[in-house]
Amino acid sequence: MKRSILVAIALSCILTSCKKKAQGYKDEDTLCQLILKIYKDDQKYRQMMDDPFFDILDSIQKAEGISNKEYRSFSEKKQLAYGEIARAIANKREKKYTKKQEDSLMQLQKVLDIKNTKLLIDIITKRGFPNDLPIV
């Protein structure tokens, strides 16, 4: 009995010290892997339900030889006309999921979002907000 209590105490001490060490986010490689996982989780279920609107709009622009810069210079009325064409095409595409399935996927995504938000807050609290990010 005493031995099992000592083992339990020892295990809890080891787990606690490991947890504290991991929460410090000192190891750059581990932190990068964690951030990459957060990034992937952020899109895990969203990408399954992607609206093809912007891909279609980009395809229309490309087919007509219109650069992004040129498109942005169009009047709002002309941009909306292109948007209406892209939306009409997107709406004709067969949906992958029913509304109920999409709602279920979004509920799963919300759980991940909450977990990731808490994790990012913890990282920023312990390491500070990154201010020397490279501009891509």
Side-chain angles (χ1 to χ4, degrees), residues 13-64:
C13 288
I14 291 169
L15 291 174
T16 304
S17 66
C18 288
K19 188 175 180 183
K20 285 181 183 172
K21 186 176 181 182
Q23 286 182 348
Y25 307 109
K26 300 290 184 207
D27 180 38
E28 298 293 324
D29 291 334
T30 304
L31 179 62
C32 286
Q33 292 303 315
L34 182 61
I35 298 297
L36 182 61
K37 183 179 180 343
I38 290 171
Y39 172 75
K40 288 179 180 178
D41 283 350
D42 182 63
Q43 296 301 313
K44 187 171 186 172
Y45 298 107
R46 283 185 181 92
Q47 70 186 11
M48 295 170 72
M49 300 178 293
D50 272 350
D51 182 357
F53 172 80
F54 289 106
D55 290 335
I56 293 169
L57 183 60
D58 289 344
S59 293
I60 293 169
Q61 286 176 251
K62 188 174 181 179
E64 295 191 7

Side-chain angles (χ1 to χ4, degrees), residues 54-75 79:
F54 289 106
D55 290 335
I56 293 169
L57 183 60
D58 289 344
S59 293
I60 293 169
Q61 286 176 251
K62 188 174 181 179
E64 295 191 7
I66 302 167
S67 70
N68 285 334
K69 184 177 181 181
E70 185 181 0
Y71 181 80
R72 286 190 302 269
S73 71
F74 287 171
S75 68
Q79 286 183 18

Side-chain angles (χ1 to χ4, degrees), residues 83-97:
E84 287 174 9
I85 294 167
R87 174 53 53 208
I89 295 168
N91 288 345
K92 287 182 181 178
R93 286 201 170 171
E94 186 177 326
K95 293 203 178 241
K96 295 179 187 177
Y97 302 101

